[in-house]
Amino acid sequence: MTTSTLLVFQNPLLPKSTRPAHSSIASAQKGAASACIVCARSQDDDYHATIKALNSKGRFPRKSLGQHYMLNSEINDQLAAAAAVQEGDIVLEIGPGTGSLTNVLLNAGATVLAIEKDQHMVGLVRERFASIDQLKVLQEDFVKCHIRSHMLSLFERRKSSSGFAKVVANIPFNISTDVIKQLLPMGDIFSEVVLLLQEETALRLVEPSLHTSEYRPINIFVNFYSEPDYKFKVPRTNFFPQPKVDAAVVTFKLKQATDYPAVTSTKSFFSMVSSAFNGKRKMLRKSLQHLCTSLEIEKALGDVGLPATSRPEELTLDDFVKLHNLIVQV
């Protein structure tokens, strides 16, 4: 005989009086046929919609996929508002999970392309919105998918007149850098990218400090392709399961190619930036010697208005652009 298990997850957003009482748990245990999650109230908010959706498929968040589901409907509303999602927009969502944010985007009148790696969540979202033709759900690993071809195909089918789509997503923290590197150079497809990120990552991307170890090549990349803006903090208590860190919403206004800093080659530019940061605390006249001699690097630094002893964490994006154009032969 198999003994059933009842798992009770208390919503930290609710006051104690609204959480499941011991008697209700005992009562539910008697009739439980399989493992499930129990909640106390019946309103169709994101907490209960999420719990109900997971129960319906007997699913639990997978740590290996970085799954942390949003429980607060107001946060999803604010995510959509940060991108000013409106009727007729085309929106890319990465990792729709149980579809709580998807629902907000659809209600705003958007056509949504949702990319989900977990096949069980794909089935759940397709079933939940089976009657909605403004939604397409693809089972793919976002960091490996050909998002450009997917978006161009969607533009063609929807005959979009705006020419640009938006990205609104609560993404797994462990793929945030990969997602940013894939999306930000796509200013010809997306006008804006709104992401829910780990707060530490959000702050590091938006407010990097020169002369510190937090200043990295990704900061040069982000500012080359976009204008980032920290919107608001999201406490960890808004997620299920609760992560060990808080989150934050960041918007990236994507630049058009004509607005990119003027470099002779983006490939050689970012290769130089990467090399500059490879040697921790190394002077540029040492770390960039594979490009030209130390004397040539020192002269170029002087022409840019920087000392010969400059290190990478001391250069702004504009400094790197000027230096690249002086020392790199394409």
Side-chain angles (χ1 to χ4, degrees):
M1 181 177 178
T2 301
T3 302
S4 61
T5 303
L6 179 69
L7 301 181
V8 180
F9 292 86
Q10 293 186 341
N11 181 6
L13 302 175
L14 304 180
K16 290 183 179 180
S17 61
T18 65
R19 295 176 182 174
H22 177 76
S23 59
S24 64
I25 296 174
S27 175
Q29 283 178 321
K30 294 180 182 179
S34 60
C36 65
I37 303 168
V38 174
C39 57
R41 299 183 304 177
S42 60
Q43 294 109 298
D44 191 23
D45 57 19
D46 280 352
Y47 169 63
H48 293 90
T50 297
I51 300 305
K52 181 179 179 181
L54 291 172
N55 274 339
S56 71
K57 300 296 180 182
R59 303 301 302 171
F60 297 92
R62 295 171 61 186
K63 185 177 180 180
S64 63
L65 295 180
Q67 292 176 333
H68 294 279
Y69 299 116
M70 174 55 61
L71 299 175
N72 190 336
S73 59
E74 291 183 5
I75 301 299
N76 284 327
D77 290 339
Q78 290 176 55
L79 270 168
V85 176
Q86 57 188 350
E87 185 81 30
D89 280 350
I90 293 178
V91 178
L92 169 67
E93 183 184 7
I94 305 162
T98 61
S100 59
L101 175 58
T102 313
N103 188 54
V104 172
L105 298 172
L106 291 171
N107 285 340
T111 293
V112 179
L113 172 63
I115 308 291
E116 173 61 64
K117 185 176 181 179
D118 188 335
Q119 63 176 337
H120 300 287
M121 294 298 102
V122 169
L124 190 154
V125 174
R126 284 175 176 168
E127 181 180 312
R128 176 175 178 178
F129 301 104
S131 62
I132 307 296
D133 63 3
Q134 283 79 31
L135 172 67
K136 181 175 183 180
V137 186
L138 297 178
Q139 185 195 339
E140 292 192 43
D141 182 345
F142 180 79
V143 299
K144 297 178 181 179
C145 78
H146 299 288
I147 191 61
R148 179 177 293 276
S149 61
H150 289 320
M151 293 306 301
L152 291 175
S153 175
L154 186 56
F155 276 133
E156 177 63 26
R157 288 201 308 275
R158 293 294 175 183
K159 294 181 173 55
S160 173
S161 59
S162 67
F164 296 101
K166 299 174 180 178
V167 181
V168 183
N170 168 15
I171 62 174
F173 295 159
N174 59 356
I175 65 168
S176 57
T177 299
D178 292 328
V179 170
I180 287 168
K181 285 184 175 180
Q182 186 164 348
L183 291 176
L184 265 53
M186 298 179 67
D188 59 325
I189 299 291
F190 302 107
S191 60
E192 193 161 17
V193 174
V194 179
L195 300 177
L196 187 55
L197 306 169
Q198 182 177 332
E199 187 187 27
E200 180 183 350
T201 300
L203 290 170
R204 189 167 62 240
L205 291 176
V206 177
E207 302 174 359
S209 298
L210 289 172
H211 307 282
T212 71
S213 60
E214 296 301 309
Y215 191 61
R216 303 171 185 178
I218 189 64
N219 299 116
I220 304 299
F221 182 92
V222 166
N223 286 281
F224 188 98
Y225 287 115
S226 73
E227 296 174 4
D229 185 22
Y230 181 103
K231 288 300 185 181
F232 56 90
K233 177 179 177 178
V234 180
R236 66 195 74 181
T237 51
N238 288 283
F239 298 91
F240 167 69
Q242 182 173 305
K244 296 179 180 179
V245 295
D246 294 324
V249 173
V250 175
T251 63
F252 302 88
K253 183 179 180 181
L254 302 197
K255 298 176 183 178
Q256 299 296 297
T258 53
D259 298 322
Y260 296 162
V263 294
T264 49
S265 165
T266 54
K267 182 178 180 180
S268 66
F269 173 73
F270 286 112
S271 177
M272 186 200 77
V273 171
S274 179
S275 296
F277 281 91
N278 274 345
K280 187 177 181 181
R281 294 292 299 164
K282 268 190 179 180
M283 294 181 189
L284 293 170
R285 65 187 181 188
K286 295 286 187 182
S287 59
L288 298 180
Q289 276 186 333
H290 62 292
L291 296 176
C292 56
T293 67
S294 293
L295 289 176
E296 289 173 320
I297 295 171
E298 289 178 4
K299 182 181 184 305
L301 287 168
D303 290 343
V304 175
L306 297 169
T309 55
S310 294
R311 292 178 168 83
E313 62 270 21
E314 299 170 350
L315 273 68
T316 64
L317 169 61
D318 189 50
D319 292 335
F320 271 114
V321 169
K322 292 177 180 177
L323 183 62
H324 169 270
N325 292 342
L326 287 171
I327 69 173
V328 175
Q329 302 296 322
V330 180

